[in-house]
Amino acid sequence: MPFPEVRLRRLRRTPALRALVRETRVAIDDLVLPLFVCPGEGVARPVPSMPGVCQHSVDRLVETCAAAHAEGIRAVLLFGLPEAKDATGSAAWSDDGIVQRALRALKQEVPDLVTIADVCFCEYTDHGHCGVLENGRVANDPTLENLARQAVSLARAGADIVAPSDMMDGRVAAIRRALDAAGLAETPILAYAVKFASAFYGPFREAAESAPSFGDRRGYQMDPANGREALREAALDVEEGADLLMVKPALPYLDVLARLRRRFDLPLAAYHVSGEYAMLKAAAERGWIDHDRVMMESLLAIKRAGADLILTYCARDAARLIRAGWSE
Ligand code: PBG
């Protein structure tokens, strides 16, 4: 029965009617806050290209996490800036490494906060690539061993979830095997299953001091043009034992997110990355867009496309609005 009997505007007439028929909501429970931990004490060093984001020393990180947790944030994702870098990124699997120390402090001070530890080497290698180099290329299989060591060390230090972001083939299986052998069978793996070689990571590389010193990451991260390949990546990670899947970046890849949602029943995460955040902040600073509305619309779009979890630097801003009863 078409118009004039059918009028979709009937259910849009008032805020209450719209709320009754709203299909998607962003909840504070969905949000994961990424944070950067650095050496020192009392450090909260702002990242210029990411207004509102800092590199924190362990003490300040604990304060930030306690505050975020008190505001309702349930989970954080940790990236480390080590004291020293080397060719293999060995500081990443040191039991006294920067993220390991942060995890132990957080388990002590904010025990209910879910800690997710990034597993990768680009912040730890002196060349800024995500693994061991052989003839100027990242060598896959030798990197797997190191990833497994890093994951075990992080889980031992208290990581509730480990999240490999390196894009080596076979890493989920290698990490699962190593965790199980180390008596860490309860630690889930959040696989950055579909991670594109994206220019949207620019500000992150400033925050994490992890830009590659030569070349780029296209030899291991995915070609932004490929949607079918994303399904193959995800299927392999599921077979290898991933507990959760991620798509990254988020907004430019909502089609990929929606395809994964249809194909897989695992919990699905989307990473609203640094460049997405920086664009929002920069345009809002100039008064060209309404920050809060664009932010909430972006997060809503990511959920509507199929994400269960959203990793976003906006987590605290969004939580504040949701707590205040945000509704459009
Ligand atoms: C690398 C890693 C990156 C991000 C998360 N993990 C950057 C990269 O691959 O160069 C990017 C996150 C963001 O841009 O917010 N291990």
Side-chain angles (χ1 to χ4, degrees), residues 76-92:
V76 294
L77 170 66
L78 297 181
F79 295 97
L81 291 93
E83 268 99 12
K85 307 191 186 214
D86 62 20
T88 57
S90 63

PDB file of all heavy atoms in Angstrom, residues 76-92:
ATOM      1  N   VAL A  76      39.844  -0.304  28.234  1.00  0.00           N
ATOM      2  CA  VAL A  76      40.858   0.540  27.583  1.00  0.00           C
ATOM      3  C   VAL A  76      41.748  -0.347  26.720  1.00  0.00           C
ATOM      4  O   VAL A  76      41.881  -1.549  26.962  1.00  0.00           O
ATOM      5  CB  VAL A  76      41.735   1.301  28.612  1.00  0.00           C
ATOM      6  CG1 VAL A  76      40.901   2.318  29.390  1.00  0.00           C
ATOM      7  CG2 VAL A  76      42.450   0.346  29.571  1.00  0.00           C
ATOM      8  N   LEU A  77      42.328   0.285  25.699  1.00  0.00           N
ATOM      9  CA  LEU A  77      43.294  -0.392  24.824  1.00  0.00           C
ATOM     10  C   LEU A  77      44.624   0.318  25.016  1.00  0.00           C
ATOM     11  O   LEU A  77      44.693   1.547  24.876  1.00  0.00           O
ATOM     12  CB  LEU A  77      42.826  -0.253  23.369  1.00  0.00           C
ATOM     13  CG  LEU A  77      43.813  -0.677  22.278  1.00  0.00           C
ATOM     14  CD1 LEU A  77      44.080  -2.171  22.340  1.00  0.00           C
ATOM     15  CD2 LEU A  77      43.265  -0.301  20.895  1.00  0.00           C
ATOM     16  N   LEU A  78      45.670  -0.431  25.342  1.00  0.00           N
ATOM     17  CA  LEU A  78      46.942   0.204  25.687  1.00  0.00           C
ATOM     18  C   LEU A  78      48.002   0.043  24.601  1.00  0.00           C
ATOM     19  O   LEU A  78      48.232  -1.052  24.083  1.00  0.00           O
ATOM     20  CB  LEU A  78      47.486  -0.400  26.986  1.00  0.00           C
ATOM     21  CG  LEU A  78      46.633  -0.204  28.235  1.00  0.00           C
ATOM     22  CD1 LEU A  78      47.326  -0.827  29.435  1.00  0.00           C
ATOM     23  CD2 LEU A  78      46.344   1.276  28.491  1.00  0.00           C
ATOM     24  N   PHE A  79      48.665   1.168  24.311  1.00  0.00           N
ATOM     25  CA  PHE A  79      49.834   1.208  23.430  1.00  0.00           C
ATOM     26  C   PHE A  79      51.010   1.724  24.248  1.00  0.00           C
ATOM     27  O   PHE A  79      50.839   2.634  25.066  1.00  0.00           O
ATOM     28  CB  PHE A  79      49.603   2.151  22.252  1.00  0.00           C
ATOM     29  CG  PHE A  79      48.508   1.705  21.333  1.00  0.00           C
ATOM     30  CD1 PHE A  79      47.227   2.221  21.457  1.00  0.00           C
ATOM     31  CD2 PHE A  79      48.756   0.753  20.352  1.00  0.00           C
ATOM     32  CE1 PHE A  79      46.212   1.801  20.607  1.00  0.00           C
ATOM     33  CE2 PHE A  79      47.750   0.330  19.500  1.00  0.00           C
ATOM     34  CZ  PHE A  79      46.470   0.851  19.632  1.00  0.00           C
ATOM     35  N   GLY A  80      52.207   1.174  23.998  1.00  0.00           N
ATOM     36  CA  GLY A  80      53.368   1.568  24.794  1.00  0.00           C
ATOM     37  C   GLY A  80      54.417   2.304  23.988  1.00  0.00           C
ATOM     38  O   GLY A  80      54.640   2.010  22.816  1.00  0.00           O
ATOM     39  N   LEU A  81      55.048   3.274  24.655  1.00  0.00           N
ATOM     40  CA  LEU A  81      56.246   3.920  24.096  1.00  0.00           C
ATOM     41  C   LEU A  81      57.412   3.496  24.971  1.00  0.00           C
ATOM     42  O   LEU A  81      57.522   3.944  26.108  1.00  0.00           O
ATOM     43  CB  LEU A  81      56.099   5.442  24.128  1.00  0.00           C
ATOM     44  CG  LEU A  81      55.056   6.008  23.172  1.00  0.00           C
ATOM     45  CD1 LEU A  81      53.702   6.175  23.841  1.00  0.00           C
ATOM     46  CD2 LEU A  81      55.536   7.338  22.643  1.00  0.00           C
ATOM     47  N   PRO A  82      58.259   2.611  24.455  1.00  0.00           N
ATOM     48  CA  PRO A  82      59.305   2.042  25.307  1.00  0.00           C
ATOM     49  C   PRO A  82      60.446   3.037  25.548  1.00  0.00           C
ATOM     50  O   PRO A  82      60.568   4.033  24.838  1.00  0.00           O
ATOM     51  CB  PRO A  82      59.804   0.870  24.469  1.00  0.00           C
ATOM     52  CG  PRO A  82      59.582   1.305  23.064  1.00  0.00           C
ATOM     53  CD  PRO A  82      58.329   2.125  23.077  1.00  0.00           C
ATOM     54  N   GLU A  83      61.275   2.748  26.563  1.00  0.00           N
ATOM     55  CA  GLU A  83      62.463   3.575  26.837  1.00  0.00           C
ATOM     56  C   GLU A  83      63.431   3.509  25.658  1.00  0.00           C
ATOM     57  O   GLU A  83      64.047   4.496  25.301  1.00  0.00           O
ATOM     58  CB  GLU A  83      63.204   3.061  28.080  1.00  0.00           C
ATOM     59  CG  GLU A  83      62.774   3.705  29.380  1.00  0.00           C
ATOM     60  CD  GLU A  83      61.786   2.837  30.158  1.00  0.00           C
ATOM     61  OE1 GLU A  83      61.611   1.650  29.791  1.00  0.00           O
ATOM     62  OE2 GLU A  83      61.178   3.355  31.106  1.00  0.00           O
ATOM     63  N   ALA A  84      63.580   2.299  25.108  1.00  0.00           N
ATOM     64  CA  ALA A  84      64.569   2.132  24.034  1.00  0.00           C
ATOM     65  C   ALA A  84      64.004   1.220  22.953  1.00  0.00           C
ATOM     66  O   ALA A  84      63.217   0.311  23.242  1.00  0.00           O
ATOM     67  CB  ALA A  84      65.842   1.514  24.613  1.00  0.00           C
ATOM     68  N   LYS A  85      64.419   1.476  21.706  1.00  0.00           N
ATOM     69  CA  LYS A  85      63.972   0.654  20.587  1.00  0.00           C
ATOM     70  C   LYS A  85      65.166  -0.116  20.049  1.00  0.00           C
ATOM     71  O   LYS A  85      66.302   0.344  20.148  1.00  0.00           O
ATOM     72  CB  LYS A  85      63.399   1.545  19.488  1.00  0.00           C
ATOM     73  CG  LYS A  85      62.306   2.512  19.978  1.00  0.00           C
ATOM     74  CD  LYS A  85      61.597   3.174  18.821  1.00  0.00           C
ATOM     75  CE  LYS A  85      60.615   4.238  19.320  1.00  0.00           C
ATOM     76  NZ  LYS A  85      59.409   4.352  18.509  1.00  0.00           N
ATOM     77  N   ASP A  86      64.918  -1.275  19.437  1.00  0.00           N
ATOM     78  CA  ASP A  86      65.993  -2.014  18.760  1.00  0.00           C
ATOM     79  C   ASP A  86      65.434  -2.669  17.494  1.00  0.00           C
ATOM     80  O   ASP A  86      64.278  -2.439  17.133  1.00  0.00           O
ATOM     81  CB  ASP A  86      66.663  -3.021  19.707  1.00  0.00           C
ATOM     82  CG  ASP A  86      65.695  -4.096  20.200  1.00  0.00           C
ATOM     83  OD1 ASP A  86      64.636  -4.308  19.558  1.00  0.00           O
ATOM     84  OD2 ASP A  86      66.000  -4.736  21.226  1.00  0.00           O
ATOM     85  N   ALA A  87      66.254  -3.478  16.847  1.00  0.00           N
ATOM     86  CA  ALA A  87      65.876  -4.011  15.533  1.00  0.00           C
ATOM     87  C   ALA A  87      64.691  -4.971  15.602  1.00  0.00           C
ATOM     88  O   ALA A  87      63.892  -5.052  14.670  1.00  0.00           O
ATOM     89  CB  ALA A  87      67.073  -4.703  14.893  1.00  0.00           C
ATOM     90  N   THR A  88      64.550  -5.715  16.726  1.00  0.00           N
ATOM     91  CA  THR A  88      63.450  -6.691  16.804  1.00  0.00           C
ATOM     92  C   THR A  88      62.269  -6.167  17.622  1.00  0.00           C
ATOM     93  O   THR A  88      61.196  -6.759  17.595  1.00  0.00           O
ATOM     94  CB  THR A  88      63.934  -7.995  17.473  1.00  0.00           C
ATOM     95  OG1 THR A  88      64.466  -7.671  18.762  1.00  0.00           O
ATOM     96  CG2 THR A  88      64.995  -8.691  16.631  1.00  0.00           C
ATOM     97  N   GLY A  89      62.494  -5.091  18.358  1.00  0.00           N
ATOM     98  CA  GLY A  89      61.421  -4.600  19.232  1.00  0.00           C
ATOM     99  C   GLY A  89      61.342  -5.395  20.514  1.00  0.00           C
ATOM    100  O   GLY A  89      60.250  -5.624  21.051  1.00  0.00           O
ATOM    101  N   SER A  90      62.498  -5.793  21.034  1.00  0.00           N
ATOM    102  CA  SER A  90      62.506  -6.729  22.163  1.00  0.00           C
ATOM    103  C   SER A  90      61.896  -6.146  23.440  1.00  0.00           C
ATOM    104  O   SER A  90      61.453  -6.905  24.313  1.00  0.00           O
ATOM    105  CB  SER A  90      63.942  -7.209  22.437  1.00  0.00           C
ATOM    106  OG  SER A  90      64.751  -6.113  22.817  1.00  0.00           O
ATOM    107  N   ALA A  91      61.843  -4.821  23.559  1.00  0.00           N
ATOM    108  CA  ALA A  91      61.220  -4.235  24.764  1.00  0.00           C
ATOM    109  C   ALA A  91      59.746  -4.624  24.860  1.00  0.00           C
ATOM    110  O   ALA A  91      59.148  -4.560  25.937  1.00  0.00           O
ATOM    111  CB  ALA A  91      61.364  -2.712  24.738  1.00  0.00           C
ATOM    112  N   ALA A  92      59.175  -5.057  23.737  1.00  0.00           N
ATOM    113  CA  ALA A  92      57.752  -5.405  23.719  1.00  0.00           C
ATOM    114  C   ALA A  92      57.456  -6.655  24.546  1.00  0.00           C
ATOM    115  O   ALA A  92      56.336  -6.832  25.021  1.00  0.00           O
ATOM    116  CB  ALA A  92      57.289  -5.616  22.281  1.00  0.00           C
TER     117      ALA A  92
END
